[in-house]
Every structure is written in structure tokens, then in C-alpha cells.
Amino acid sequence: GEEVAQTPKHLVRGEGQKAKLYCAPIKGHSYVFWYQQVLKNEFKFLISFQNENVFDETGMPKERFSAKCLPNSPCSLEIQATKLEDSAVYFCASSQSRAVNQPQHFGDGTRLSIL
Amino acid sequence: GNSVTQMEGPVTLSEEAFLTINCTYTATGYPSLFWYVQYPGEGLQLLLKATKADDKGSNKGFEATYRKETTSFHLEKGSVQVSDSAVYFCALSDTGANNLFFGTGTRLTVIP
């Protein structure tokens, strides 16, 4: 499609439950990025993919967070055993290439609320 | 390393006032610079970009010039409208880095 599509828009989970977020990048874009936006608007980079391959996962909390981008499926970000501190808005972005001058195009985000 | 420092705000202006939101950066390579805007309840939209020194990005009446000598990329608009009320983020991408680095965002409220 012409836009990055993220689902669901809002997800509520009890502490300790699993949360799974989805992202369909813009058609033809090879790179997908996940960011976490926490209080005071701070953006934290989590992980990026080049097609279905992990490109950079330096921002991912290793223990409970995982992500995939499989062919012909939306990309996903999964959080096991959620904690209160995981409450945030998770943004997905895609870009055509990793060239420095290529902008990333963002979805509307998924607001994750952990109760 | 790479970082972006942005004027904190919030900023409240009357309609038709002049807007400046300051942004300075540090980068290790040859960065490209971006301004993104986030309207209430929505995702980030690319507002404008500049990819090399002295480039000026512009869109919807907003402008920003990539100043290498002062490592700045200040956002300006000559006459703001109520519909410009949003949070504005300065960001950079750098050679050798694989993600965007964001400033902390500046909330702009324009009152009629």
C-alpha cells in the first residue's frame, strides 16, 4: 500500500500477558524500523529489518522482545511477559533504502497499555 | 556519537505569528536532517528534509536550512495557523547508522 499500516491502534494487556503488534510497510520498501515512544515524546530505536533479515537489533531488549518480517506477511513485534514499563506507543516505519537521504515513513502507531 | 537537541517548549503563539523552533545536532559522519510533525492522535509525518550543507528544506510554508557551521537546522514559519498545532520533531540520519535520531519534540499550540 501507499502508507505504513499498523494494527491494532490500541492494545490493552494485563501485566505478564503477551502483546503482539503488526506493521505492513509501504509496498516496495525494503527496510522496516520499530521505535518505542515513551513519556515526554522520547523515541527509542528498537530494531530494523532489510526485507526479512534483521539489520540492526541493538535497541531491542533481548529477554522479552522479539520481531519478525516474513515474506508475504505483515512484520510483527512481540513482547512476552509484559511489564508496566512497556506501556508506550510503538511506531513502525519503512524506507526504500538505507541511504542517508532516504526519509523513513511512519505508521500511526500502536498504543500499548499495560495494566 | 549522534544526537539532536531541540528547543523544549511548549510554544504557544497567536495565529499569524512567526515561528522558530531551534534544533542543533551532533553527528560523526555526513548526516541528513529532517523535521517530522505529529498531529494529535496520529503518527509522524515527514514535514521537510535537507541532505547536505546549505540545503533548504521547505513544505507547507515551513522552512529549515542545514547549517553545518553552526550544526543547526532551525524550523521557521512566517505566519502560523491554528491547524499547525502539533508536536514537531527534529531528526537526523547519519552515514554508518541504521536508524533515525530524534530530538525530544516541541509542542506548538496556535490560538486564534
Side-chain angles (χ1 to χ4, degrees), chain A residues 33 35 55 98 100-101 104, chain B residues 36 43 49 51 93 98 100 104:
Chain A
F33 305 81
Y35 294 87
F55 193 72
R98 64 170 291 216
V100 170
N101 61 1
Q104 294 179 19
Chain B
Y36 283 85
K49 70 173 187 178
T51 59
S93 66
N98 300 313
L100 285 173
T104 51

Side-chain angles (χ1 to χ4, degrees), chain B residues 45-101:
Chain B
Q45 297 177 25
L46 177 66
L47 181 59
L48 53 84
K49 70 173 187 178
T51 59
K52 60 183 188 298
D54 300 324
D55 264 4
K56 178 187 278 190
S58 61
N59 185 25
K60 299 182 182 179
F62 291 88
E63 292 183 341
T65 301
Y66 186 158
R67 301 271 187 220
K68 192 175 178 182
E69 62 277 13
T70 53
T71 60
S72 65
F73 192 54
H74 304 321
L75 182 69
E76 296 182 336
K77 187 174 185 183
S79 175
V80 293
Q81 305 300 313
V82 172
S83 57
D84 294 328
S85 297
V87 182
Y88 292 82
F89 292 90
C90 185
L92 75 81
S93 66
D94 199 4
T95 48
N98 300 313
N99 55 278
L100 285 173
F101 296 86

Side-chain angles (χ1 to χ4, degrees), chain A residues 6-17:
Chain A
Q6 287 189 251
T7 55
K9 200 171 176 65
H10 197 171
L11 185 60
V12 181
R13 288 288 180 266
E15 202 173 5
Q17 292 185 317

Side-chain angles (χ1 to χ4, degrees), chain A residues 59-108:
Chain A
M60 281 286 267
K62 290 283 190 282
E63 288 182 354
R64 300 181 296 108
F65 285 59
S66 62
K68 292 179 188 175
C69 278
L70 300 175
N72 303 314
S73 297
C75 296
S76 64
L77 176 69
E78 189 167 355
I79 309 172
Q80 303 285 344
T82 53
K83 299 182 178 181
L84 294 175
E85 69 214 42
D86 298 331
S87 295
V89 181
Y90 292 82
F91 285 100
C92 174
S94 70
S95 67
Q96 276 187 315
S97 75
R98 64 170 291 216
V100 170
N101 61 1
Q102 281 293 314
Q104 294 179 19
H105 299 268
F106 284 77
D108 285 345

Side-chain angles (χ1 to χ4, degrees), chain A residues 37 41 43 91, chain B residues 36-40 42-44 86-89:
Chain A
Q37 186 184 29
N41 294 322
F43 278 88
F91 285 100
Chain B
Y36 283 85
V37 57
Q38 186 176 26
Y39 296 102
E42 297 184 15
L44 289 173
V87 182
Y88 292 82
F89 292 90

